[in-house]
Amino acid sequence: MQDKQAYLDAIQLVLDEAKAQGASACECAMGVEAGLSASVRLGEVETLEYHQDKGLGITVYLGQSKGSASTSDLSADSIKQTVSAACGIAKYTAADECAGLPEKDRLAWDYPDLDLYHAWDVQAEQALELAKECEDHARAFDKRISNSEGATTSSHRGNHFYANSHGFIGHYPSSRHSVVCSVIAQDEQGMQRDYWYTASRNPKELESMRQIGETAAKRAVARLNARQLPTGQWPVLFTPDTAIGLVGHFIRGIRGGSLYRKTSFLLDSLGEQIFPDWIHMDEQPHIKAALGSAPFDSEGVATQSRDLVKAGVVQAYVLDTYSARRLNMETTGNAGGVHNLTLESSGHSYEDLLSQMGTGLIVTDLMGQGVNNVTGTYSRGAAGFWLENGEIQFPVHEITIASNLKEMFKGIIAVGNDMDHRRNIRTGSILVDKMTIAGE
Amino acid sequence: MSDTIEIAKATFLNPFGLQESDLNQTLAKIMSPGGVDDADLYFQHTHYESWSLEDGRVKDGSFGIESGVGVRAVNGEKTGFAYSDDISLAALEKSAQTVRAIARQGQSQSVQAWTGMQTGHQLYQALDPLGSLSQEQKIALLESVDVEARKQDPRIKQVMVSMASSRDVILVAAADGTLAADVRPLVRLSVSVVAEQNGRREQGSSGGGGRTEYDFFLNQDRGLEYAREAVRQALLNLEAVDAPAGNMKVVLGSGWPGVLLHEAIGHGLEGDFNRKGSSAFSGRIGEKVASPICTVVDDGTLSGRRGSLNIDDEGTPTQVTTLIENGILKNYMQDKLNARLMGMKPTGNGRRESYAHLPLPRMTNTYMLAGEHDPEEIIASVDKGIYAANFGGGQVDITSGKFVFSASEAYLIENGKITQPVRGATLIGNGPDVLTRVSMVGSDMNLDKGVGTCGKDGQSVPVGVGQPTLKVDGLTVGGTSA
């Protein structure tokens, strides 16, 4: 990036200015992004959006008191004012013995190049053409595809900078390219919509437009003529894109913020058996070119590979510097979240899981936020398919599935090898022994 | 209001050496080569702050400024959009050039002359809430809320309070002759508590706000009332038993439970989905979609409310739009683009999260008008069911019509009486027919307290909801107890 030196200069000005204004410590993060989103609907251009964003966030410490401020204006005047605003807040916030920068030796002084930036010189015309191709495949797939919400090609590139008054300055470029398609199927019973997408840091690794379009169409058509189920208790199979949420609820439960505030259903779970004894979960922040990779976290702390769950037992929490100090622990390099968290498969294919479940509910879509992190109570809207003797019988919707997360985790029977790599959390399908389905 | 016009000019024009004629000429650069139906410029300057308290101390605070200009060109159903955080004639011209990428071959179009800057309604003043209390007073307010929560009950183990405010200045200039400005204050205070008893922990929360200044929370002890309400909910949840599962009669409380209307019918009546035919309500104007006792409106004109706007983000004054009248579907909510394509009028519902986002048809304050029944009479009419007094958020699939919303405070009703509190549960239903099963509507219409945020296409905007107590004769309750 040609302006890199200008951004580094701006960051240096932040650090110098903070010192000059009396801050005992300072950190700042800056993101600079540019990109394009091109949408096509029913074969015609719908929107063409050009994105250009930059933002600078500054945190200062006056002793143990903290204040933050942000701006998108990187002029010297604006930077001085923003530092002054942060100091103005720190003058009033209460001192907190746990506040402050990460320990110096935890910073990523020598961070790896993770191959996170892959240029894609895609112009509007080509982006629109790809989106059109994707949507065309979806619309041609089945006569019942009656309408479309369109297809969108997006390409974004950015540079991320982090620096603090320990003398650390880290930065790395990254990219994210994607194509998403959403279509509507219709029959005499009504309409159903579904979507599919591909996303990658490297444009060469995007799935084919045919694959995305046809998957979106197949999913929408398969939902037609859905019905409710009678209320009862059944096994539930979460497909990978919904299973990611389940793993996410676990992560939220072992995050430092939830633990020190005692707002987690997994308090004191370190060393406890939360899952069946064959479950293994790890974090691999340095996978080359992966969407969830990062050389350092949002506090400049070096990220590292580690086990979170071994033989069903919680090995470590997900901590940033502040929450770690509150818990008398050390940061795990997770300020800002986890990086490529993977739930290991039990070796079963999706088809194995269907025959293993026999009769029960396959969940392909979840709705609402009915998960209570304090109690683990789980109750969400769902749609999917009813399975009998390992065979799909009919699509279902307008039902809820409910249980408690602790019971659901203990009740995991198998994890499929149909791994979804598009998100920060990677898992295959998850089969849970029993949940309450509410319907008719 | 002249204040608003002065502030807008002092924010976007004078400091950058821009004149109204520069805006006109930028629009002309988009329009005059032809092939574009409409174009607009959206200038925005927002500054905001937030303060948060935990462990009895205010330990975090932040301040931020965002400003920029979004430039849009529209050709039929096609939209070209670019934005910049740099406000200057050069940046405007560059964006103007970029958005013409969607132009077709066509005749030159002129820019309509504007007749002075419009400011719409006067639902709130052109205030800057950030400076409405001193820093000491803000901290004292947060601390008083914490103290109030803790003194209610020794079982309260954790109290988290956050307070935020912003001032949003906007200026819209469009080729259709619109030149309009607004200055939008917004404040919010939220309390969340954790109660513990015999190893069981439960959460309760409350909050409120509006388009005003921080003293809103001092008046009528509102801040302290939020603290007491959060504690009441947490303690109640300590006693809650498992929620039932299955289809049953549900009585919904007044106020925030109006999130039912927002999800079940509101989104489905937004113009974009109906123009595209992707909503379960598409093509159904004039049809019966609710029982005759239901009348639902979207009203952007309520004084000082979180969801209210003097003008929408396209410069159209907000209005009261009747969505459902005595059970019959009457109107959709429109922005300019979708109104034009559907041959309808804009309804003041064109909203955007910021200059870096495109406007979409969005709700403002959506509520059901009062009916004739006493709320107690409604509860007494139910043999077996649940009373859901308060909710968290919800979600809808506008195409299938299925929607969910999650109760945060609910009770069993047995033989016409409220008996036991039950754990939170998600309720699921079908938008186009849930209101046909409304059999009683209360006389106690209430609006929510002012903390609602709605998400659509990745854009968040503040909204309001409201309703009287009402009874639905069959809704699926997602508990665990069969």
Side-chain angles (χ1 to χ4, degrees):
Chain A
M1 184 170 289
Q2 59 195 27
D3 296 332
K4 193 167 83 187
Q5 193 53 48
Y7 297 125
L8 291 171
D9 290 346
I11 285 169
Q12 193 56 51
L13 180 59
V14 171
L15 296 170
D16 292 346
E17 188 61 28
K19 199 171 178 182
Q21 292 192 26
S24 41
C26 171
E27 59 187 329
C28 73
M30 184 156 71
V32 186
E33 281 184 39
L36 168 75
S37 298
S39 301
V40 164
R41 179 172 170 267
L42 298 176
E44 299 286 335
V45 176
E46 187 172 48
T47 58
L48 198 49
E49 296 187 41
Y50 294 87
H51 303 273
Q52 194 112 42
D53 298 281
K54 62 181 190 292
L56 170 68
I58 299 170
T59 296
V60 299
Y61 298 90
L62 300 181
Q64 294 303 112
S65 295
K66 177 182 170 188
S68 302
S70 63
T71 181
S72 55
D73 180 353
L74 302 184
S75 68
D77 277 351
S78 161
I79 284 175
K80 285 176 188 171
Q81 283 164 20
T82 307
V83 169
S84 162
C87 291
I89 286 166
K91 283 193 187 99
Y92 291 94
T93 51
D96 181 344
E97 58 283 1
C98 295
L101 300 180
E103 285 73 25
K104 200 170 175 179
D105 62 355
R106 298 300 306 274
L107 298 173
W109 295 102
D110 185 21
Y111 57 89
D113 176 357
L114 298 178
D115 195 28
L116 304 181
Y117 175 67
H118 291 264
W120 189 15
D121 187 25
V122 63
Q123 300 300 314
E125 218 154 287
Q126 187 198 352
L128 289 167
E129 195 50 48
L130 277 174
K132 182 173 183 307
E133 184 190 339
C134 184
E135 195 203 34
D136 285 349
H137 282 297
R139 293 172 69 202
F141 181 75
D142 193 295
K143 283 201 296 287
R144 290 166 292 177
I145 298 296
S146 62
N147 200 348
S148 170
E149 293 204 317
T152 302
T153 307
S154 301
S155 172
H156 287 89
R157 58 188 188 279
N159 240 313
H160 175 72
F161 300 80
Y162 172 85
N164 65 31
S165 52
H166 282 321
F168 177 84
I169 295 187
H171 55 89
Y172 58 91
S174 66
S175 56
R176 186 179 191 276
H177 313 291
S178 65
V179 180
V180 57
C181 180
S182 174
V183 288
I184 293 170
Q186 185 163 22
D187 66 4
E188 53 288 349
Q189 303 290 324
M191 296 189 289
Q192 293 284 351
R193 173 189 56 165
D194 215 324
Y195 76 105
W196 202 241
Y197 74 100
T198 177
S200 178
R201 295 201 183 271
N202 185 343
K204 294 197 183 79
E205 283 170 18
L206 291 175
E207 287 176 64
S208 77
M209 295 303 107
R210 172 186 289 273
Q211 178 78 17
I212 300 309
E214 291 191 352
T215 305
K218 201 179 292 179
R219 286 168 61 93
V221 168
R223 294 174 77 144
L224 284 172
N225 214 354
R227 52 180 119 154
Q228 283 192 291
L229 287 172
T231 300
Q233 290 201 323
W234 295 99
V236 174
L237 178 65
F238 293 85
T239 54
D241 44 328
T242 58
I244 283 171
L246 273 193
V247 179
H249 301 316
F250 167 68
I251 297 304
R252 194 169 157 217
I254 61 165
R255 277 186 88 134
S258 311
L259 293 169
Y260 85 76
R261 293 187 184 102
K262 295 193 165 33
T263 54
S264 165
F265 65 105
L266 292 175
L267 286 189
D268 304 317
S269 56
L270 196 64
E272 296 292 314
Q273 177 123 20
I274 298 296
F275 296 97
D277 62 10
W278 52 270
I279 292 258
H280 181 81
M281 219 181 280
D282 63 22
E283 190 187 10
Q284 301 166 64
H286 295 178
I287 300 173
K288 289 277 162 87
L291 283 163
S293 295
F296 48 84
D297 74 0
S298 61
E299 300 178 314
V301 171
T303 50
Q304 50 190 329
S305 297
R306 64 197 189 108
D307 290 325
L308 269 91
V309 176
K310 234 159 110 177
V313 175
V314 177
Q315 303 296 307
Y317 291 146
V318 172
L319 308 174
D320 59 10
T321 299
Y322 179 77
S323 63
R325 287 178 187 149
R326 292 293 303 264
L327 295 164
N328 287 316
M329 294 180 172
E330 287 194 27
T331 176
T332 57
N334 290 111
V338 293
H339 306 100
N340 302 319
L341 184 104
T342 306
L343 172 59
E344 210 168 87
S345 166
S346 56
H348 299 82
S349 69
Y350 180 66
E351 289 69 29
D352 292 342
L353 296 180
L354 295 187
S355 55
Q356 197 171 347
M357 177 159 78
T359 298
L361 174 69
I362 303 169
V363 171
T364 57
D365 193 15
L366 288 165
M367 289 176 78
Q369 301 88 37
V371 181
N372 184 328
N373 193 47
V374 179
T375 60
T377 303
Y378 184 103
S379 168
R380 298 187 74 185
F385 300 91
W386 181 247
L387 193 79
E388 282 177 23
N389 304 315
E391 302 281 339
I392 287 177
Q393 304 296 308
F394 52 85
V396 296
H397 66 182
E398 206 179 334
I399 56 165
T400 59
I401 54 172
S403 180
N404 184 283
L405 285 169
K406 275 191 161 177
E407 286 171 37
M408 291 164 69
F409 294 158
K410 280 243 161 71
I412 294 177
I413 295 173
V415 177
N417 58 13
D418 49 344
M419 190 80 67
D420 187 341
H421 290 279
R422 297 172 300 180
R423 304 264 298 271
N424 208 4
I425 292 174
R426 305 162 157 223
T427 174
S429 298
I430 297 180
L431 177 56
V432 174
D433 65 346
K434 192 176 68 178
M435 293 185 74
T436 301
I437 297 171
E440 290 165 332
Chain B
M1 266 184 302
S2 61
D3 275 5
T4 297
I5 293 171
E6 288 313 308
I7 292 170
K9 285 183 176 169
T11 307
F12 301 119
L13 303 181
N14 309 345
F16 306 102
L18 291 172
Q19 312 284 333
E20 284 181 20
S21 58
D22 292 319
L23 311 190
N24 193 295
Q25 279 160 27
T26 304
L27 290 167
K29 285 203 168 92
I30 303 173
M31 299 293 289
S32 62
V36 170
D37 300 327
D38 197 6
D40 63 5
L41 315 176
Y42 181 86
F43 293 81
Q44 184 183 30
H45 179 97
T46 303
H47 66 183
Y48 55 92
E49 67 170 6
S50 68
W51 297 88
S52 61
L53 172 148
E54 63 179 34
D55 308 319
R57 292 178 293 174
V58 178
K59 296 189 295 192
D60 264 323
S62 65
F63 170 83
I65 295 178
E66 277 168 30
S67 68
V69 55
V71 178
R72 170 171 70 151
V74 176
N75 155 22
E77 298 187 30
K78 301 175 173 58
T79 299
F81 180 56
Y83 58 87
S84 168
D85 55 20
D86 174 20
I87 297 177
S88 68
L89 193 56
L92 280 174
E93 284 177 351
K94 184 168 171 242
S95 292
Q97 188 61 37
T98 305
V99 299
R100 274 198 54 81
I102 53 92
R104 62 181 184 274
Q105 295 294 318
Q107 287 199 334
S108 172
Q109 301 273 335
S110 59
V111 177
Q112 303 295 311
W114 42 60
T115 50
M117 205 181 285
Q118 306 299 311
T119 56
H121 305 291
Q122 295 188 32
L123 307 174
Y124 38 83
Q125 292 178 281
L127 304 166
D128 184 1
L130 278 74
S132 63
L133 287 182
S134 70
Q135 309 291 59
E136 288 91 344
Q137 288 170 318
K138 291 172 199 170
I139 294 201
L141 170 55
L142 287 166
E143 288 175 348
S144 72
V145 173
D146 175 72
V147 168
E148 184 72 11
R150 287 179 193 274
K151 82 176 187 201
Q152 300 301 309
D153 196 288
R155 289 171 289 176
I156 298 301
K157 300 298 179 194
Q158 176 70 265
V159 179
M160 288 157 281
V161 190
S162 69
M163 187 167 78
S165 72
S166 60
R167 188 189 72 156
D168 200 13
V169 185
I170 66 145
L171 170 64
V172 193
D176 67 1
T178 302
L179 180 67
D182 198 9
V183 177
R184 301 164 174 173
L186 190 64
V187 296
R188 179 186 59 74
L189 191 151
S190 307
V191 191
S192 172
V193 304
V194 178
E196 187 174 329
Q197 174 177 283
N198 301 328
R200 177 170 172 179
R201 280 186 318 279
E202 295 284 351
Q203 204 156 17
S205 57
S206 182
R211 297 202 176 278
T212 179
E213 298 186 306
Y214 281 133
D215 62 4
F216 179 78
F217 303 119
L218 295 167
N219 296 340
Q220 301 163 35
D221 281 346
R222 281 194 185 91
L224 303 184
E225 174 51 34
Y226 303 152
R228 293 191 287 267
E229 172 60 15
V231 169
R232 189 190 64 79
Q233 287 197 17
L235 298 180
L236 187 87
N237 284 332
L238 285 175
E239 311 298 328
V241 298
D242 285 344
N247 194 284
M248 61 196 74
K249 288 184 177 169
V250 176
V251 176
L252 299 167
S254 69
W256 178 250
V259 68
L260 161 83
L261 306 171
H262 180 100
E263 302 297 353
I265 62 156
H267 280 296
L269 299 181
E270 289 167 341
D272 47 352
F273 300 130
N274 288 286
R275 168 175 65 84
K276 295 173 185 176
S278 62
S279 165
F281 287 97
S282 297
R284 298 192 59 185
I285 283 187
E287 289 184 24
K288 183 172 185 294
V289 296
S291 73
I293 51 176
C294 295
T295 294
V296 180
V297 301
D298 183 80
D299 182 357
T301 70
L302 297 168
S303 175
R305 303 293 311 184
R306 181 173 166 88
S308 298
L309 294 171
N310 291 328
I311 52 168
D312 74 1
D313 292 324
E314 295 182 310
T316 309
T318 54
Q319 64 179 51
V320 185
T321 303
T322 301
L323 304 176
I324 294 172
E325 188 171 29
N326 300 325
I328 307 297
L329 181 57
K330 289 291 182 184
N331 288 294
Y332 298 132
M333 288 167 278
Q334 297 287 10
D335 63 352
K336 285 183 181 175
L337 171 83
N338 290 288
R340 180 163 46 77
L341 292 170
M342 291 180 83
M344 295 178 173
K345 284 208 161 70
T347 56
N349 290 92
R351 303 185 62 186
R352 58 205 293 177
E353 180 180 304
S354 79
Y355 70 89
H357 298 85
L358 277 169
L360 297 169
R362 303 294 296 264
M363 285 173 263
T364 59
N365 304 295
T366 312
Y367 58 93
M368 183 185 286
L369 304 191
E372 59 185 17
H373 291 283
D374 186 70
E376 285 169 24
E377 183 190 349
I378 297 176
I379 303 271
S381 75
V382 177
D383 277 347
K384 190 169 179 297
I386 72 161
Y387 170 54
N390 213 341
F391 282 85
Q395 191 183 337
V396 62
D397 175 336
I398 48 110
T399 302
S400 70
K402 304 300 174 258
F403 70 94
V404 294
F405 56 140
S406 299
S408 59
E409 178 188 350
Y411 307 82
L412 291 178
I413 306 176
E414 294 167 298
N415 301 318
K417 290 199 167 55
I418 289 172
T419 54
Q420 285 250 44
V422 295
R423 285 182 187 277
T426 289
L427 278 60
I428 191 163
N430 184 37
D433 66 38
V434 65
L435 294 189
T436 63
R437 292 198 300 277
V438 171
S439 59
M440 294 174 97
V441 176
S443 54
D444 58 338
M445 155 59 195
N446 270 308
L447 294 165
D448 72 293
K449 287 191 234 166
V451 294
T453 297
C454 167
K456 173 177 172 182
D457 285 4
Q459 295 195 41
S460 294
V461 297
V463 294
V465 296
Q467 68 178 27
T469 298
L470 54 88
K471 181 168 85 171
V472 183
D473 279 343
L475 201 54
T476 298
V477 178
T480 53
S481 173

